[in-house]
Coordinates of all heavy atoms in Angstrom, one line a residue:
D56 N 41.7 -19.1 -81.1 CA 40.8 -19.9 -82.0 C 39.4 -20.1 -81.3 O 38.6 -21.0 -81.8 CB 41.3 -21.2 -82.4 CG 42.4 -21.1 -83.5 OD1 42.3 -20.1 -84.3 OD2 43.4 -21.8 -83.4
T57 N 39.1 -19.3 -80.3 CA 37.7 -19.3 -79.8 C 37.1 -17.9 -79.9 O 37.8 -16.9 -80.0 CB 37.7 -19.7 -78.3 OG1 38.3 -18.6 -77.5 CG2 38.5 -21.0 -78.0
G58 N 35.8 -17.9 -80.0 CA 35.1 -16.6 -80.3 C 35.3 -15.5 -79.3 O 35.6 -14.4 -79.7
T59 N 35.3 -15.9 -78.0 CA 35.5 -14.9 -77.0 C 36.9 -14.3 -77.0 O 37.1 -13.1 -76.8 CB 35.1 -15.4 -75.6 OG1 33.8 -15.9 -75.7 CG2 35.1 -14.3 -74.5
C60 N 37.9 -15.2 -77.1 CA 39.3 -14.8 -77.1 C 39.5 -13.9 -78.3 O 40.1 -12.8 -78.2 CB 40.2 -16.0 -77.2 SG 40.0 -17.1 -75.8
A61 N 39.0 -14.3 -79.5 CA 39.2 -13.5 -80.7 C 38.5 -12.1 -80.5 O 39.1 -11.1 -80.9 CB 38.6 -14.2 -81.9
Q62 N 37.3 -12.1 -79.9 CA 36.7 -10.8 -79.7 C 37.4 -9.9 -78.7 O 37.5 -8.7 -78.9 CB 35.2 -11.0 -79.1 CG 34.5 -9.7 -78.9 CD 34.4 -8.9 -80.2 OE1 34.3 -9.4 -81.3 NE2 34.3 -7.6 -80.0
S63 N 38.1 -10.5 -77.7 CA 38.8 -9.6 -76.8 C 40.0 -9.0 -77.5 O 40.3 -7.8 -77.3 CB 39.3 -10.4 -75.6 OG 40.4 -11.3 -75.9
V64 N 40.6 -9.7 -78.4 CA 41.7 -9.1 -79.2 C 41.2 -8.0 -80.1 O 41.8 -6.9 -80.2 CB 42.5 -10.2 -80.1 CG1 43.5 -9.5 -81.0 CG2 43.2 -11.2 -79.1
R65 N 40.1 -8.2 -80.8 CA 39.4 -7.2 -81.6 C 39.1 -6.0 -80.8 O 39.3 -4.8 -81.3 CB 38.2 -7.8 -82.3 CG 38.4 -8.7 -83.4 CD 37.0 -9.1 -84.0 NE 37.2 -10.4 -84.7 CZ 36.7 -11.6 -84.2 NH1 36.0 -11.6 -83.1 NH2 36.8 -12.6 -84.9
Q66 N 38.5 -6.2 -79.7 CA 38.0 -5.0 -78.9 C 39.2 -4.2 -78.3 O 39.2 -3.0 -78.4 CB 37.2 -5.5 -77.7 CG 36.5 -4.4 -76.9 CD 35.6 -3.5 -77.7 OE1 34.8 -4.1 -78.6 NE2 35.5 -2.2 -77.5
F67 N 40.2 -4.9 -77.8 CA 41.4 -4.2 -77.3 C 42.1 -3.5 -78.5 O 42.7 -2.4 -78.3 CB 42.3 -5.1 -76.5 CG 42.0 -5.2 -75.1 CD1 41.6 -6.4 -74.5 CD2 41.9 -4.0 -74.2 CE1 41.3 -6.5 -73.2 CE2 41.6 -4.1 -72.9 CZ 41.2 -5.3 -72.4
N68 N 42.2 -4.1 -79.7 CA 42.8 -3.5 -80.9 C 42.1 -2.2 -81.2 O 42.7 -1.2 -81.4 CB 42.7 -4.5 -82.1 CG 43.3 -3.9 -83.3 OD1 44.5 -3.7 -83.4 ND2 42.5 -3.6 -84.3
K69 N 40.7 -2.2 -81.1 CA 40.0 -1.0 -81.3 C 40.2 0.1 -80.3 O 40.5 1.2 -80.6 CB 38.5 -1.4 -81.3 CG 37.5 -0.2 -81.5 CD 36.1 -0.7 -81.5 CE 35.1 0.4 -81.4 NZ 33.7 -0.1 -81.2
E70 N 40.2 -0.3 -79.0 CA 40.4 0.6 -77.9 C 41.9 1.2 -77.9 O 42.1 2.3 -77.5 CB 40.1 0.0 -76.6 CG 38.7 -0.5 -76.4 CD 37.6 0.6 -76.3 OE1 38.0 1.7 -76.1 OE2 36.5 0.2 -76.5
A71 N 42.8 0.3 -78.2 CA 44.2 0.7 -78.2 C 44.6 1.8 -79.2 O 45.6 2.5 -79.0 CB 45.1 -0.5 -78.3
A72 N 43.8 1.9 -80.2 CA 44.2 2.8 -81.3 C 44.3 4.3 -80.8 O 45.1 5.1 -81.3 CB 43.1 2.8 -82.4
G73 N 43.5 4.6 -79.7 CA 43.5 6.0 -79.2 C 44.3 6.2 -77.9 O 44.2 7.2 -77.3
L74 N 45.1 5.2 -77.5 CA 45.8 5.3 -76.2 C 47.2 5.8 -76.4 O 47.9 5.3 -77.3 CB 45.8 3.9 -75.5 CG 44.4 3.3 -75.2 CD1 44.6 2.0 -74.6 CD2 43.6 4.2 -74.3
D75 N 47.6 6.8 -75.6 CA 49.0 7.3 -75.6 C 49.8 6.5 -74.7 O 49.4 6.1 -73.6 CB 49.0 8.7 -75.2 CG 48.3 9.7 -76.2 OD1 48.4 9.4 -77.4 OD2 47.7 10.7 -75.8
N76 N 51.1 6.3 -75.1 CA 52.1 5.6 -74.3 C 51.6 4.3 -73.7 O 51.9 4.0 -72.5 CB 52.6 6.6 -73.2 CG 53.9 6.1 -72.6 OD1 54.8 5.6 -73.3 ND2 54.1 6.2 -71.3
T77 N 50.9 3.5 -74.4 CA 50.3 2.3 -74.0 C 50.4 1.2 -75.0 O 50.3 1.4 -76.2 CB 48.7 2.5 -73.7 OG1 48.6 3.5 -72.7 CG2 48.1 1.2 -73.2
V78 N 50.7 0.0 -74.5 CA 50.8 -1.2 -75.4 C 49.9 -2.2 -74.8 O 49.8 -2.4 -73.6 CB 52.3 -1.7 -75.5 CG1 52.8 -2.1 -74.2 CG2 52.4 -2.8 -76.5
V79 N 49.1 -2.9 -75.7 CA 48.3 -4.0 -75.3 C 48.9 -5.3 -75.8 O 49.2 -5.4 -77.0 CB 46.9 -3.8 -75.9 CG1 46.0 -5.1 -75.6 CG2 46.2 -2.6 -75.5
L80 N 49.2 -6.1 -74.9 CA 49.9 -7.4 -75.2 C 48.8 -8.5 -75.0 O 48.2 -8.7 -74.0 CB 51.0 -7.7 -74.2 CG 52.1 -6.6 -74.1 CD1 53.2 -7.0 -73.1 CD2 52.7 -6.4 -75.5
C81 N 48.5 -9.2 -76.1 CA 47.5 -10.3 -76.1 C 48.3 -11.6 -76.0 O 49.1 -11.9 -76.9 CB 46.7 -10.2 -77.4 SG 45.7 -8.7 -77.5
I82 N 48.1 -12.3 -74.9 CA 48.9 -13.5 -74.5 C 48.1 -14.8 -74.4 O 47.1 -14.8 -73.8 CB 49.6 -13.2 -73.2 CG1 50.4 -11.9 -73.3 CG2 50.5 -14.4 -72.8 CD1 50.9 -11.3 -72.0
S83 N 48.7 -15.8 -75.1 CA 48.1 -17.1 -75.1 C 49.2 -18.1 -75.3 O 50.3 -17.8 -75.6 CB 47.0 -17.3 -76.1 OG 47.5 -17.3 -77.4
K84 N 48.8 -19.4 -75.3 CA 49.8 -20.5 -75.6 C 49.7 -20.9 -77.1 O 50.4 -21.8 -77.5 CB 49.6 -21.7 -74.7 CG 50.1 -21.5 -73.3 CD 50.1 -22.8 -72.6 CE 50.9 -22.6 -71.3 NZ 51.4 -23.8 -70.8
D85 N 48.9 -20.2 -77.8 CA 48.9 -20.4 -79.3 C 50.2 -20.3 -79.9 O 51.0 -19.4 -79.4 CB 47.9 -19.5 -80.0 CG 46.4 -19.7 -79.6 OD1 45.9 -20.8 -79.8 OD2 45.8 -18.8 -79.0
L86 N 50.5 -21.0 -80.9 CA 51.7 -20.8 -81.7 C 51.8 -19.4 -82.3 O 50.7 -18.9 -82.7 CB 51.9 -21.8 -82.8 CG 52.1 -23.3 -82.3 CD1 52.1 -24.2 -83.5 CD2 53.4 -23.4 -81.5
P87 N 52.9 -18.8 -82.4 CA 53.0 -17.5 -83.0 C 52.5 -17.4 -84.4 O 51.9 -16.4 -84.8 CB 54.5 -17.2 -82.9 CG 55.1 -18.0 -81.8 CD 54.2 -19.2 -81.8
F88 N 52.6 -18.5 -85.1 CA 52.1 -18.6 -86.5 C 50.5 -18.4 -86.5 O 50.0 -17.7 -87.4 CB 52.5 -19.9 -87.2 CG 53.9 -20.2 -86.9 CD1 54.3 -21.4 -86.2 CD2 54.9 -19.4 -87.4 CE1 55.6 -21.7 -86.0 CE2 56.3 -19.8 -87.2 CZ 56.6 -20.9 -86.5
A89 N 49.9 -19.1 -85.6 CA 48.4 -19.0 -85.5 C 48.0 -17.5 -85.1 O 47.0 -17.0 -85.6 CB 47.8 -20.0 -84.5
Q90 N 48.7 -17.0 -84.2 CA 48.5 -15.6 -83.7 C 48.6 -14.6 -84.9 O 47.8 -13.8 -85.2 CB 49.4 -15.2 -82.6 CG 49.1 -15.9 -81.3 CD 50.1 -15.6 -80.2 OE1 51.3 -15.2 -80.5 NE2 49.7 -15.8 -79.0
A91 N 49.7 -14.8 -85.7 CA 50.0 -13.9 -86.8 C 48.9 -14.1 -87.9 O 48.5 -13.1 -88.5 CB 51.4 -14.2 -87.4
R92 N 48.5 -15.3 -88.1 CA 47.5 -15.6 -89.1 C 46.2 -14.9 -88.8 O 45.6 -14.2 -89.6 CB 47.2 -17.1 -89.3 CG 46.2 -17.5 -90.3 CD 45.8 -19.0 -90.2 NE 45.0 -19.2 -89.0 CZ 45.4 -20.1 -88.0 NH1 46.5 -20.7 -88.1 NH2 44.7 -20.2 -87.0
F93 N 45.8 -15.0 -87.5 CA 44.6 -14.3 -87.0 C 44.7 -12.8 -87.2 O 43.8 -12.2 -87.8 CB 44.3 -14.6 -85.6 CG 43.2 -13.8 -85.0 CD1 41.9 -14.2 -85.2 CD2 43.5 -12.7 -84.3 CE1 40.8 -13.4 -84.6 CE2 42.4 -11.9 -83.7 CZ 41.1 -12.3 -83.9
C94 N 45.8 -12.2 -86.8 CA 45.9 -10.7 -86.9 C 45.9 -10.3 -88.4 O 45.3 -9.3 -88.7 CB 47.2 -10.3 -86.2 SG 47.1 -10.4 -84.4
G95 N 46.6 -11.1 -89.3 CA 46.6 -10.7 -90.7 C 45.2 -10.8 -91.3 O 44.7 -9.9 -92.0
A96 N 44.4 -11.8 -90.9 CA 43.1 -12.0 -91.5 C 42.1 -11.0 -91.0 O 41.2 -10.5 -91.6 CB 42.6 -13.4 -91.2
E97 N 42.4 -10.5 -89.7 CA 41.4 -9.6 -89.1 C 41.9 -8.1 -89.2 O 41.1 -7.2 -88.8 CB 41.3 -9.9 -87.6 CG 40.7 -11.2 -87.3 CD 39.2 -11.2 -87.3 OE1 38.6 -10.1 -87.1 OE2 38.6 -12.3 -87.6
G98 N 43.1 -7.9 -89.7 CA 43.5 -6.5 -89.8 C 43.9 -5.9 -88.5 O 43.8 -4.7 -88.3
I99 N 44.4 -6.7 -87.6 CA 44.7 -6.3 -86.2 C 46.1 -5.7 -86.3 O 47.1 -6.3 -86.6 CB 44.7 -7.5 -85.2 CG1 43.4 -8.2 -85.2 CG2 45.2 -7.1 -83.9 CD1 42.3 -7.5 -84.6
E100 N 46.2 -4.4 -85.9 CA 47.5 -3.7 -85.9 C 47.9 -2.9 -84.7 O 49.0 -2.4 -84.6 CB 47.4 -2.7 -87.1 CG 47.2 -3.3 -88.4 CD 47.1 -2.3 -89.6 OE1 46.8 -1.1 -89.3 OE2 47.3 -2.7 -90.7
N101 N 46.9 -2.8 -83.7 CA 47.2 -1.9 -82.5 C 47.5 -2.7 -81.3 O 47.6 -2.1 -80.2 CB 45.9 -1.1 -82.3 CG 45.7 -0.2 -83.5 OD1 46.6 0.4 -84.1 ND2 44.4 -0.1 -83.9
V102 N 47.6 -4.0 -81.4 CA 48.0 -4.8 -80.2 C 49.2 -5.7 -80.6 O 49.4 -5.9 -81.8 CB 46.8 -5.7 -79.7 CG1 45.6 -4.9 -79.3 CG2 46.4 -6.8 -80.7
E103 N 49.9 -6.2 -79.7 CA 51.0 -7.1 -79.9 C 50.7 -8.5 -79.4 O 50.3 -8.6 -78.2 CB 52.3 -6.6 -79.3 CG 53.5 -7.4 -79.6 CD 54.8 -6.7 -79.1 OE1 54.8 -5.5 -78.8 OE2 55.8 -7.5 -78.9
M104 N 50.7 -9.5 -80.3 CA 50.5 -10.9 -79.9 C 51.8 -11.5 -79.3 O 52.8 -11.3 -79.9 CB 50.0 -11.7 -81.0 CG 48.7 -11.1 -81.7 SD 47.3 -11.2 -80.6 CE 46.9 -13.0 -80.6
L105 N 51.6 -12.2 -78.2 CA 52.8 -12.9 -77.6 C 52.4 -14.3 -77.2 O 51.3 -14.5 -76.7 CB 53.3 -12.1 -76.4 CG 53.9 -10.7 -76.6 CD1 54.2 -10.1 -75.3 CD2 55.1 -10.8 -77.5
S106 N 53.3 -15.2 -77.4 CA 53.0 -16.6 -77.2 C 53.8 -17.1 -76.0 O 55.0 -16.8 -75.8 CB 53.3 -17.5 -78.4 OG 53.1 -18.8 -78.1
D107 N 53.1 -17.9 -75.2 CA 53.8 -18.6 -74.0 C 53.9 -20.1 -74.4 O 53.9 -21.0 -73.5 CB 52.9 -18.4 -72.8 CG 53.6 -18.9 -71.5 OD1 54.8 -18.9 -71.5 OD2 52.8 -19.2 -70.6
F108 N 54.2 -20.4 -75.6 CA 54.2 -21.8 -76.1 C 55.5 -22.5 -75.7 O 55.6 -23.8 -75.6 CB 54.0 -22.0 -77.6 CG 55.2 -21.8 -78.4 CD1 55.9 -22.9 -79.0 CD2 55.7 -20.5 -78.7 CE1 57.0 -22.7 -79.8 CE2 56.8 -20.3 -79.5 CZ 57.5 -21.4 -80.1
R109 N 56.6 -21.8 -75.4 CA 57.9 -22.4 -75.2 C 58.0 -23.1 -73.8 O 58.3 -24.3 -73.7 CB 59.0 -21.4 -75.4 CG 59.2 -21.2 -76.9 CD 60.6 -20.5 -77.1 NE 60.8 -20.4 -78.5 CZ 61.2 -19.3 -79.1 NH1 61.6 -18.2 -78.4 NH2 61.4 -19.2 -80.4
D110 N 57.9 -22.3 -72.8 CA 58.1 -22.9 -71.4 C 56.9 -22.8 -70.5 O 56.9 -23.4 -69.4 CB 59.4 -22.4 -70.8 CG 59.4 -20.9 -70.5 OD1 58.3 -20.3 -70.5 OD2 60.5 -20.3 -70.4
G111 N 56.0 -21.9 -70.8 CA 54.8 -21.8 -69.9 C 55.0 -21.1 -68.6 O 54.1 -21.1 -67.8
N112 N 56.2 -20.5 -68.4 CA 56.4 -19.9 -67.1 C 55.6 -18.7 -66.8 O 55.3 -18.3 -65.7 CB 57.9 -19.5 -66.9 CG 58.7 -20.8 -66.7 OD1 58.3 -21.8 -66.2 ND2 60.0 -20.7 -67.0
F113 N 55.1 -18.0 -67.9 CA 54.3 -16.9 -67.7 C 53.0 -17.2 -66.9 O 52.6 -16.6 -66.0 CB 53.9 -16.3 -69.1 CG 52.9 -15.1 -69.0 CD1 53.3 -13.9 -68.7 CD2 51.5 -15.4 -69.2 CE1 52.4 -12.8 -68.5 CE2 50.6 -14.3 -69.0 CZ 51.0 -13.1 -68.7
G114 N 52.4 -18.3 -67.4 CA 51.1 -18.7 -66.7 C 51.3 -19.1 -65.2 O 50.5 -18.8 -64.4
E115 N 52.5 -19.7 -64.9 CA 52.8 -20.0 -63.5 C 53.1 -18.7 -62.7 O 52.6 -18.5 -61.6 CB 54.0 -21.0 -63.5 CG 53.6 -22.3 -64.0 CD 54.8 -23.2 -64.1 OE1 55.8 -23.0 -63.3 OE2 54.8 -24.2 -64.8
S116 N 53.9 -17.8 -63.3 CA 54.3 -16.6 -62.6 C 53.1 -15.7 -62.3 O 53.1 -15.0 -61.3 CB 55.3 -15.8 -63.5 OG 56.5 -16.5 -63.6
Y117 N 52.2 -15.7 -63.2 CA 51.0 -14.8 -63.1 C 49.8 -15.6 -62.4 O 48.7 -15.0 -62.2 CB 50.6 -14.2 -64.4 CG 51.5 -13.0 -64.7 CD1 52.7 -13.2 -65.2 CD2 51.0 -11.7 -64.5 CE1 53.6 -12.1 -65.5 CE2 51.8 -10.6 -64.8 CZ 53.1 -10.8 -65.3 OH 53.9 -9.7 -65.5
G118 N 50.0 -16.8 -62.1 CA 49.0 -17.6 -61.3 C 47.8 -17.9 -62.1 O 46.7 -18.1 -61.6
L119 N 47.9 -18.0 -63.5 CA 46.7 -18.2 -64.2 C 46.6 -19.4 -65.1 O 45.6 -19.6 -65.9 CB 46.4 -16.9 -65.0 CG 47.5 -16.3 -65.9 CD1 47.8 -17.1 -67.1 CD2 47.3 -14.9 -66.1
S120 N 47.6 -20.3 -65.1 CA 47.5 -21.5 -65.8 C 46.4 -22.4 -65.2 O 46.4 -22.5 -63.9 CB 48.8 -22.3 -65.9 OG 49.7 -21.6 -66.7
F121 N 45.6 -23.1 -66.0 CA 44.7 -24.1 -65.4 C 45.4 -25.2 -64.8 O 46.3 -25.8 -65.4 CB 43.7 -24.5 -66.4 CG 42.7 -23.5 -66.9 CD1 42.7 -23.1 -68.2 CD2 41.9 -22.9 -66.0 CE1 41.8 -22.1 -68.6 CE2 41.0 -21.9 -66.4 CZ 41.0 -21.5 -67.7
S122 N 45.0 -25.6 -63.6 CA 45.6 -26.8 -62.9 C 44.7 -28.0 -63.0 O 45.2 -29.1 -62.7 CB 45.9 -26.5 -61.5 OG 44.6 -26.2 -60.8
D123 N 43.5 -27.9 -63.6 CA 42.7 -29.1 -63.8 C 41.7 -28.7 -64.9 O 41.7 -27.6 -65.4 CB 42.0 -29.5 -62.5 CG 41.1 -28.4 -61.9 OD1 40.7 -27.5 -62.6 OD2 40.8 -28.6 -60.7
G124 N 40.8 -29.6 -65.3 CA 39.8 -29.4 -66.2 C 40.2 -29.5 -67.7 O 41.4 -29.8 -67.9
P125 N 39.3 -29.4 -68.6 CA 39.6 -29.7 -70.0 C 40.5 -28.8 -70.7 O 41.1 -29.1 -71.8 CB 38.2 -29.7 -70.7 CG 37.4 -28.8 -69.8 CD 37.9 -29.0 -68.4
L126 N 40.8 -27.6 -70.1 CA 41.7 -26.6 -70.8 C 43.1 -26.6 -70.2 O 43.9 -25.8 -70.6 CB 41.1 -25.2 -70.7 CG 39.7 -25.0 -71.4 CD1 39.2 -23.6 -71.2 CD2 39.9 -25.3 -72.9
M127 N 43.3 -27.5 -69.3 CA 44.7 -27.6 -68.7 C 45.7 -27.9 -69.7 O 45.4 -28.8 -70.5 CB 44.7 -28.7 -67.6 CG 45.9 -28.8 -66.8 SD 45.8 -30.1 -65.5 CE 46.2 -31.5 -66.4
P128 N 46.8 -27.3 -69.9 CA 47.4 -26.3 -69.1 C 47.3 -24.9 -69.7 O 48.3 -24.1 -69.5 CB 48.9 -26.7 -69.0 CG 49.1 -27.2 -70.4 CD 47.8 -27.9 -70.8
L129 N 46.3 -24.6 -70.4 CA 46.1 -23.2 -71.0 C 46.0 -22.2 -70.0 O 45.8 -22.5 -68.8 CB 45.0 -23.2 -72.0 CG 45.1 -24.2 -73.2 CD1 43.8 -24.1 -74.0 CD2 46.3 -23.9 -74.0
H130 N 45.9 -20.9 -70.4 CA 45.7 -19.8 -69.4 C 44.3 -19.5 -69.3 O 43.5 -19.5 -70.2 CB 46.4 -18.5 -69.9 CG 47.9 -18.7 -70.1 ND1 48.7 -19.5 -69.3 CD2 48.8 -18.2 -71.1 CE1 49.9 -19.4 -69.7 NE2 50.0 -18.7 -70.8
S131 N 43.9 -19.0 -68.1 CA 42.5 -18.5 -67.9 C 42.4 -17.1 -68.5 O 43.4 -16.5 -68.9 CB 42.2 -18.5 -66.4 OG 43.1 -17.5 -65.8
R132 N 41.2 -16.7 -68.6 CA 40.9 -15.4 -69.2 C 41.1 -14.3 -68.1 O 40.5 -14.4 -67.0 CB 39.5 -15.3 -69.8 CG 39.2 -13.9 -70.4 CD 37.9 -13.9 -71.1 NE 37.5 -15.1 -71.8 CZ 38.0 -15.5 -72.9 NH1 38.9 -14.8 -73.5 NH2 37.6 -16.6 -73.5
A133 N 42.1 -13.4 -68.3 CA 42.4 -12.4 -67.3 C 42.9 -11.2 -68.0 O 43.4 -11.2 -69.1 CB 43.4 -13.0 -66.3
V134 N 42.8 -10.1 -67.2 CA 43.4 -8.8 -67.7 C 44.2 -8.3 -66.5 O 43.8 -8.2 -65.4 CB 42.3 -7.8 -68.1 CG1 43.0 -6.4 -68.4 CG2 41.5 -8.3 -69.3
V135 N 45.4 -7.8 -66.8 CA 46.3 -7.2 -65.8 C 46.8 -5.9 -66.5 O 47.3 -5.9 -67.6 CB 47.5 -8.1 -65.5 CG1 48.4 -7.4 -64.5 CG2 47.0 -9.5 -64.9
V136 N 46.7 -4.8 -65.7 CA 47.1 -3.5 -66.2 C 48.3 -3.0 -65.4 O 48.2 -3.1 -64.1 CB 46.0 -2.5 -66.2 CG1 46.5 -1.1 -66.7 CG2 44.8 -2.9 -67.1
L137 N 49.3 -2.6 -66.1 CA 50.6 -2.1 -65.4 C 50.8 -0.6 -65.7 O 50.5 -0.2 -66.8 CB 51.8 -2.9 -65.9 CG 51.6 -4.4 -66.0 CD1 52.9 -5.0 -66.6 CD2 51.4 -5.0 -64.6
N138 N 51.3 0.1 -64.7 CA 51.7 1.5 -65.0 C 53.1 1.5 -65.7 O 53.7 0.4 -65.9 CB 51.6 2.3 -63.7 CG 52.7 1.9 -62.7 OD1 53.6 1.2 -62.9 ND2 52.4 2.4 -61.5
E139 N 53.6 2.7 -65.9 CA 54.9 2.8 -66.6 C 56.1 2.2 -65.8 O 57.1 2.0 -66.4 CB 55.2 4.3 -66.8 CG 54.3 5.0 -67.7 CD 53.1 5.7 -67.0 OE1 52.7 5.3 -65.9 OE2 52.5 6.6 -67.6
D140 N 55.9 2.0 -64.5 CA 57.0 1.3 -63.7 C 56.8 -0.2 -63.5 O 57.4 -0.8 -62.7 CB 57.1 2.0 -62.4 CG 57.4 3.5 -62.5 OD1 58.3 3.8 -63.3 OD2 56.8 4.3 -61.8
S141 N 55.9 -0.7 -64.3 CA 55.5 -2.2 -64.3 C 54.9 -2.6 -62.9 O 55.0 -3.7 -62.5 CB 56.7 -3.0 -64.6 OG 57.2 -2.7 -65.9
E142 N 54.2 -1.6 -62.3 CA 53.5 -1.9 -61.1 C 52.0 -2.3 -61.5 O 51.4 -1.6 -62.3 CB 53.5 -0.7 -60.2 CG 52.7 -0.9 -58.9 CD 52.7 0.4 -58.0 OE1 53.7 1.1 -58.0 OE2 51.6 0.7 -57.5
V143 N 51.5 -3.3 -60.8 CA 50.1 -3.7 -61.1 C 49.1 -2.7 -60.6 O 49.1 -2.4 -59.4 CB 49.8 -5.1 -60.5 CG1 48.4 -5.5 -60.7 CG2 50.8 -6.2 -61.0
V144 N 48.3 -2.2 -61.5 CA 47.3 -1.2 -61.1 C 45.8 -1.7 -61.2 O 44.9 -1.1 -60.7 CB 47.4 0.2 -61.8 CG1 48.7 0.8 -61.5 CG2 47.2 0.0 -63.3
Y145 N 45.7 -2.9 -61.9 CA 44.4 -3.5 -62.1 C 44.5 -4.9 -62.4 O 45.4 -5.3 -63.2 CB 43.7 -2.7 -63.2 CG 42.3 -3.3 -63.6 CD1 41.2 -2.9 -63.0 CD2 42.3 -4.2 -64.7 CE1 39.9 -3.5 -63.4 CE2 41.0 -4.8 -65.1 CZ 39.9 -4.4 -64.5 OH 38.7 -4.9 -64.8
T146 N 43.6 -5.8 -61.9 CA 43.6 -7.2 -62.3 C 42.1 -7.6 -62.4 O 41.3 -7.1 -61.7 CB 44.3 -8.1 -61.4 OG1 43.6 -8.1 -60.1 CG2 45.7 -7.8 -61.2
E147 N 41.9 -8.5 -63.3 CA 40.5 -9.1 -63.4 C 40.7 -10.5 -63.8 O 41.3 -10.8 -64.9 CB 39.7 -8.4 -64.5 CG 38.3 -9.1 -64.6 CD 37.5 -8.7 -65.9 OE1 38.1 -8.0 -66.7 OE2 36.4 -9.1 -66.0

Side-chain angles (χ1 to χ4, degrees):
D56 288 324
T57 67
T59 305
C60 300
Q62 181 56 33
S63 73
V64 173
R65 287 184 201 105
Q66 186 65 35
F67 275 119
N68 181 66
K69 178 181 167 186
E70 300 290 348
L74 301 175
D75 291 329
N76 197 39
T77 302
V78 62
V79 178
L80 306 178
C81 295
I82 302 168
S83 69
K84 285 195 168 200
D85 292 298
L86 291 175
F88 314 114
Q90 293 175 335
R92 180 187 72 242
F93 172 82
C94 289
E97 294 279 334
I99 304 291
E100 298 176 343
N101 300 317
V102 300
E103 186 173 337
M104 301 295 287
L105 297 176
S106 176
D107 190 24
F108 85 103
R109 286 197 175 135
D110 63 21
N112 286 336
F113 174 82
E115 293 175 21
S116 297
Y117 281 76
L119 49 76
S120 291
F121 290 118
S122 60
D123 59 19
L126 297 178
M127 185 179 81
L129 299 178
H130 300 325
S131 65
R132 183 176 319 289
V134 175
V135 179
V136 177
L137 313 176
N138 66 17
E139 295 92 337
D140 297 318
S141 300
E142 180 183 321
V143 177
V144 296
Y145 174 87
T146 63
E147 177 193 10

